[in-house]
Amino acid sequence: MSICFNEATDVFQLDAGQSSYVMKLVGGYLMHLYYGKRLDGRDHSYMLRLAPRGSFSPNPDPQNPIWSLDAAPLEYPSYGTSDLRSPAYHVQFADGSTASELKFVSHRIVDGKPRLEGLPQVYCESGGEAQSLEIVLRDEYRPLEVILTYTAFDAMNAIVRSSKIVNKGNDPIRIKKASSASVDYVSGRYEEIHLQGSWARERHIERAPLTHGIKMIESRRGHSSHDLNPFFALVSPETTEDFGDAYGYSLIYSGNFKGSMGLDQYGSTRAMIGISDFDFEWLLAPGEAFQTPEAVLVYSNEGLGGMSRTYHRLYRTRLCRGVWRDKRRPVLVNNWEATYFDFNEDKLVELAKQAKELGIEMLVMDDGWFGQRNDDRCSLGDWFVNRGKLPGGLEGLAARVKEQGLKFGIWFEPEMISRNSRLFEQHPDWCVHVKNRRQSEGRSQLVLDMSRKDVCDYILETLTGILKSAPIDYVKWDFNRSLTEMGSALLPPERQREFAHRFVLGTYSVMEALTSRFPEVLFEGCSGGGGRFDPGILYYMPQIWTSDDTDAVERLKIQYGTSLAYPFSTMGAHVAAVPNHQCGRVTAISTRGHAAMTGAFGYELDLGKLSEEEKTQVRQQVAQYHQWERLISQGDLYRLQDPFKGNTAAWMFVSSDKKEALVFYYQVLSVPNPEMPELKLKGLDEKAVYTASDGGTYSGAQLMGFGLHVPYMPYDFSSYVWHLKA
Ligand code: DGJ
């Protein structure tokens, strides 16, 4: 049993893999007792210590001055009724009041995991994999109910949480904040880790101690964003890659989000994650419910590595869906950095021919095949073929590509509209805008109002028509600007602040319908690279273009950082031309191959410009990828050397039976007459004897105790790979 409620002690205990999560009812309040390493089944009530805190932390019960909600660990904290820290939710009732408080009503434990409507979510394949707990809480003074849902996975250290706010009365309730999860840690000092970046420099790792006050990571951009990812971790100061406590918080959501954490005056840490409450409101009519997105909490006492491996397994096998979840993805060539907008049918067929000779399996036609699009200033929304470029239409091109023996993929940017487009002429009010205010442009484009059903229907039917018109095997779904002047022509004034969330729900509805209509098509998410690299997208599309930065050295940091929460199998990664188009760096094709090969692998350059020697290497890379793909996409990841801390990076993949491993090592700058450190491995079977591709034979104990000799590499930007077999 992963979840139990002890009626004698009023304690809920959720056991997920090697972790436990414990709550207790006290005076009707749901208190948080513990989250961490797995506990036994004893009574844990002693963990709750309530102390008198003085008049500035008022007490809810005048007869019982010894404790205050302001100092109590609360499971879903309220606002205004004596807990004066950050609340998990914030509502305004019809009389204008905002004070609220929740008391326990009932609970229910079920096998498996209840489905959420209209939102991406983690799922179970059988009832035995997990149990779920629903706890109903109610405000005693106002008609408000909150249902907290928890799913504990039996064999994974993961707890999935969400909340549902229900209006049980006859007047509307205005929701001003609705977090998915909140956790109070009464003791312990933590550091916080999150992923920050920018376009072409996504998901770099930052770590800093928490202090008093609140630290926040947030997106107000309408998408999860390049600059902060909907993920953070709390770790003990001594936590490393391999040791110590790590608590991950990840939100399955692609829009405005907020993670907050900090110490209160009594040294407790409150951590919270959910939809951003900035510029958010939701009018809840009588009888209606508001469902928050899911937050996935992962605990590890094996440091950050253990936390990441749980996220990888969960997201790879119980968030990603469809036939491509487990299938080997085709090695592709994308024409974007090869041609940009300057292509036609013959050029693409020529690229396909060259690709075929090198063993590449799919041609992806990127931006520029529709409307009058010869640059990025027009035609988004005009999803009809540019016959000047593609005289045979999509069907003709697809047929010629397939004649070469390749699969065929295509690019869309469904949520966008160019001012210079037929669609804009016909429907100027379909874009996101605020009446009588300037419409800011990004890349000369506006955003379609995905909160409108008519717009979503139009996009869905248009894309459906295109996917039916030709044998298309793959879709790259792009999204190239942040939202501004957020509002919808159809929403009444009192609902305008619902727009950002409605936009995401509309987008999800189109993604859900389209991916269900075309289950065989492989979808790849993209947002100017990694501007929407989040678990929400992974529910619909099993891979995402990681970054527009294709430089192998920049990718070390980007992919290493991304791997804190996301498996390598979800990271689109391509070998591109040199000098690199984003940063001008020149790297060897072998290094570019080794950096890209640990993701969803492909090429993005004019293959015709490769030398014979480079072509030979490409053929070898493709063959190697085929040989290693299962291990890379399904093996356990161990990060060995951190590119944020030094001149090298290394990571390895180990098969679940520990009989096979692949080790990738990258050196940034070459050092003359260098130190000769060993590369210590992880995750192997100590007793097994491994034969390595460098010709050596080593025991697991030797490899993990002493390590591999790193060869001397007298060149900048070099790499080396070992393949180990027991
Ligand atoms: C941004 C993407 O990240 C690129 O890979 C490419 O598809 C361009 N958009 C096309 O406009």
Side-chain angles (χ1 to χ4, degrees):
M1 286 279 274
S2 20
I3 301 182
C4 29
F5 177 62
N6 185 326
E7 287 189 11
T9 57
D10 274 343
V11 168
F12 290 98
Q13 180 163 342
L14 291 75
D15 295 321
Q18 293 311 306
S19 65
S20 291
Y21 190 103
V22 186
M23 298 170 274
K24 181 178 170 72
L25 297 172
V26 180
Y29 298 104
L30 184 61
M31 305 258 173
H32 179 82
L33 288 199
Y34 173 82
Y35 184 28
K37 203 169 172 181
R38 187 161 175 147
L39 300 173
D40 53 27
R42 291 169 60 83
D43 176 17
H44 309 300
S45 300
Y46 84 95
M47 292 179 182
L48 185 68
R49 183 150 64 149
L50 300 171
R53 288 299 190 178
S55 64
F56 289 93
S57 287
N59 45 299
D61 177 1
Q63 306 309 316
N64 187 1
I66 74 140
W67 65 279
S68 161
L69 294 186
D70 206 23
L74 292 162
E75 193 54 27
Y76 201 67
S78 306
Y79 167 73
T81 50
S82 82
D83 180 357
L84 298 168
R85 298 166 288 177
S86 288
Y89 73 100
H90 186 200
V91 293
Q92 187 171 26
F93 299 102
D95 61 2
S97 69
T98 52
S100 174
E101 178 173 275
L102 298 171
K103 291 269 187 96
F104 176 78
V105 177
S106 62
H107 83 277
R108 168 173 101 98
I109 296 171
V110 293
D111 285 340
K113 182 170 182 294
R115 265 195 64 75
L116 300 188
E117 269 320 299
L119 282 167
Q121 58 204 283
V122 159
Y123 59 90
C124 288
E125 283 199 335
S126 74
E129 284 179 3
Q131 276 195 324
S132 298
L133 165 69
E134 277 178 4
I135 299 181
V136 180
L137 305 170
R138 193 170 295 154
D139 190 318
E140 288 178 325
Y141 299 90
R142 295 285 186 279
L144 174 79
E145 202 168 88
V146 174
I147 303 168
L148 304 181
T149 304
Y150 302 76
T151 298
F153 278 83
D154 209 35
M156 285 189 258
N157 304 351
I159 289 181
V160 183
R161 281 187 62 176
S162 69
S163 359
K164 190 175 183 168
I165 300 184
V166 190
N167 182 350
K168 301 293 260 188
N170 300 318
D171 297 308
I173 294 176
R174 213 173 265 281
I175 303 174
K176 292 167 161 294
K177 179 177 185 181
S179 300
S180 300
S182 173
V183 178
D184 281 352
Y185 300 78
V186 274
S187 61
R189 282 287 195 267
Y190 294 97
E191 297 188 351
E192 178 271 336
I193 296 177
H194 64 260
L195 302 173
Q196 66 80 27
S198 172
W199 172 77
R201 191 171 33 75
E202 297 92 335
R203 290 174 299 285
H204 283 207
I205 299 174
E206 268 183 354
R207 175 173 179 165
L210 284 183
T211 55
H212 291 88
I214 294 168
K215 175 158 184 177
M216 190 172 93
I217 55 163
E218 188 180 40
S219 168
R220 299 175 177 181
R221 299 174 164 272
H223 57 117
S224 48
S225 90
H226 301 84
D227 50 332
L228 290 160
N229 193 261
F231 162 81
F232 68 90
L234 296 187
V235 297
S236 302
E238 63 278 7
T239 295
T240 64
E241 184 59 28
D242 305 301
F243 304 102
D245 288 335
Y247 297 89
Y249 289 77
S250 164
L251 190 69
I252 306 183
Y253 192 59
S254 310
N256 290 346
F257 74 89
K258 177 165 160 181
S260 66
M261 55 248 114
L263 284 166
D264 69 12
Q265 58 184 322
Y266 304 122
S268 292
T269 297
R270 176 167 286 176
M272 226 178 264
I273 195 160
I275 290 179
S276 169
D277 56 340
F278 178 80
D279 204 26
F280 167 81
E281 242 175 36
W282 195 273
L283 202 59
L284 204 58
E288 279 184 357
F290 179 84
Q291 173 63 56
T292 72
E294 285 185 342
V296 179
L297 277 52
V298 165
Y299 167 74
S300 154
N301 70 340
E302 292 173 356
L304 292 167
M307 175 198 74
S308 298
R309 284 187 288 282
T310 300
Y311 276 120
H312 294 176
R313 203 167 131 217
L314 185 71
Y315 285 176
R316 205 171 60 219
T317 64
R318 294 294 179 269
L319 176 66
C320 294
R321 299 177 294 169
V323 295
W324 288 102
R325 185 188 77 176
D326 302 323
K327 252 201 327 235
R328 185 178 68 72
R329 323 261 169 82
V331 177
L332 63 83
V333 61
N334 177 307
N335 76 308
W336 180 242
E337 288 196 12
T339 66
Y340 294 103
F341 291 104
D342 181 19
F343 65 86
N344 57 29
E345 188 176 305
D346 287 341
K347 243 191 194 179
L348 292 178
V349 172
E350 184 52 30
L351 188 60
K353 250 189 214 158
Q354 290 157 350
K356 180 66 188 171
E357 280 169 19
L358 300 174
I360 295 170
E361 299 161 291
M362 178 160 73
L363 175 91
V364 174
M365 174 174 63
D366 210 278
D367 192 356
W369 57 267
F370 51 91
Q372 302 303 316
R373 191 141 163 113
N374 293 315
D375 56 40
D376 62 11
R377 291 196 291 274
C378 70
S379 299
L380 292 171
D382 293 348
W383 300 112
F384 47 85
V385 175
N386 180 334
R387 294 265 166 182
K389 282 181 173 175
L390 307 179
L394 287 179
E395 216 182 345
L397 173 63
R400 287 183 68 191
V401 169
K402 288 186 179 234
E403 260 168 39
Q404 304 300 324
L406 263 74
K407 291 179 186 294
F408 175 62
I410 190 174
W411 176 99
F412 286 117
E413 197 174 356
E415 294 119 299
M416 297 292 160
I417 179 167
S418 304
R419 197 185 288 279
N420 182 2
S421 67
R422 278 200 213 165
L423 188 65
F424 190 77
E425 272 168 33
Q426 288 158 5
H427 297 287
D429 62 330
W430 274 16
C431 66
V432 176
H433 69 281
V434 172
K435 222 174 164 188
N436 300 326
R437 179 168 281 286
R438 185 198 64 225
Q439 295 165 6
S440 304
E441 293 185 9
R443 208 191 189 202
S444 311
Q445 65 199 55
L446 301 169
V447 186
L448 279 172
D449 180 354
M450 302 296 284
S451 74
R452 292 173 63 142
K453 188 162 180 321
D454 53 353
V455 172
C456 289
D457 289 347
Y458 172 81
I459 292 296
L460 177 61
E461 293 317 320
T462 307
L463 299 191
T464 300
I466 293 166
L467 292 185
K468 277 190 177 159
S469 74
I472 294 169
D473 302 296
Y474 160 106
V475 168
K476 177 174 172 188
W477 182 308
D478 209 344
F479 180 96
N480 277 303
R481 59 158 292 182
S482 297
L483 275 63
T484 52
E485 294 91 24
M486 290 193 214
S488 170
L490 289 197
L491 288 173
E494 66 279 14
R495 289 197 179 272
Q496 286 291 335
R497 298 182 75 202
E498 298 176 10
F499 171 77
H501 184 52
R502 287 187 182 275
F503 177 89
V504 178
L505 294 180
T507 301
Y508 284 156
S509 73
V510 177
M511 288 182 175
E512 176 67 27
L514 197 72
T515 52
S516 323
R517 284 182 189 178
F518 297 95
E520 301 294 328
V521 172
L522 169 60
F523 283 82
E524 173 160 345
C526 176
S527 170
R532 216 161 48 172
F533 202 115
D534 60 62
I537 297 297
L538 289 179
Y539 184 64
Y540 306 100
M541 309 180 188
Q543 60 190 57
I544 302 175
W545 181 228
T546 316
S547 174
D548 271 348
D549 198 330
T550 48
D551 172 60
V553 175
E554 288 298 305
R555 278 296 187 117
L556 298 181
K557 285 184 177 159
I558 294 170
Q559 293 173 188
Y560 188 98
T562 304
S563 80
L564 271 199
Y566 308 96
F568 269 94
S569 59
T570 62
M571 299 180 209
H574 300 169
V575 171
V578 288
N580 178 265
H581 293 194
Q582 289 74 41
C583 68
R585 191 174 283 124
V586 176
T587 54
I589 195 148
S590 54
T591 307
R592 281 175 274 155
H594 287 156
M597 191 179 284
T598 61
F601 186 43
Y603 290 82
E604 187 162 335
L605 73 174
D606 185 347
L607 297 171
K609 291 200 175 133
L610 292 176
S611 68
E612 283 312 309
E613 159 59 19
E614 285 173 326
K615 283 185 182 165
T616 307
Q617 288 205 44
V618 169
R619 272 188 211 100
Q620 284 165 358
Q621 287 171 355
V622 174
Q624 268 177 349
Y625 183 71
H626 284 174
Q627 193 195 337
W628 294 341
E629 185 278 340
R630 289 290 86 178
L631 193 48
I632 292 169
S633 69
Q634 322 231 316
D636 285 326
L637 175 81
Y638 290 85
R639 288 177 293 255
L640 306 175
Q641 292 189 356
D642 180 347
F644 294 98
K645 292 193 176 142
N647 189 35
T648 60
W651 48 72
M652 66 185 285
F653 302 89
V654 183
S655 63
S656 55
D657 62 5
K658 297 184 185 289
K659 292 209 162 117
E660 203 180 348
L662 258 183
V663 184
F664 289 82
Y665 175 85
Y666 310 89
Q667 167 184 281
V668 180
L669 294 180
S670 151
V671 178
N673 200 12
E675 292 174 15
M676 300 281 234
E678 315 308 325
L679 181 63
K680 269 194 200 183
L681 305 190
K682 299 175 186 171
L684 299 172
D685 176 355
E686 285 202 348
K687 297 206 172 68
V689 175
Y690 295 88
T691 307
S693 51
D694 67 1
T697 302
Y698 317 95
S699 70
Q702 285 176 322
L703 291 170
M704 293 192 290
F706 181 80
L708 285 164
H709 288 309
V710 174
Y712 176 46
M713 299 195 285
Y715 304 102
D716 288 348
F717 323 130
S718 22
S719 59
Y720 194 85
V721 178
W722 292 263
H723 183 210
L724 306 172
K725 267 194 149 177

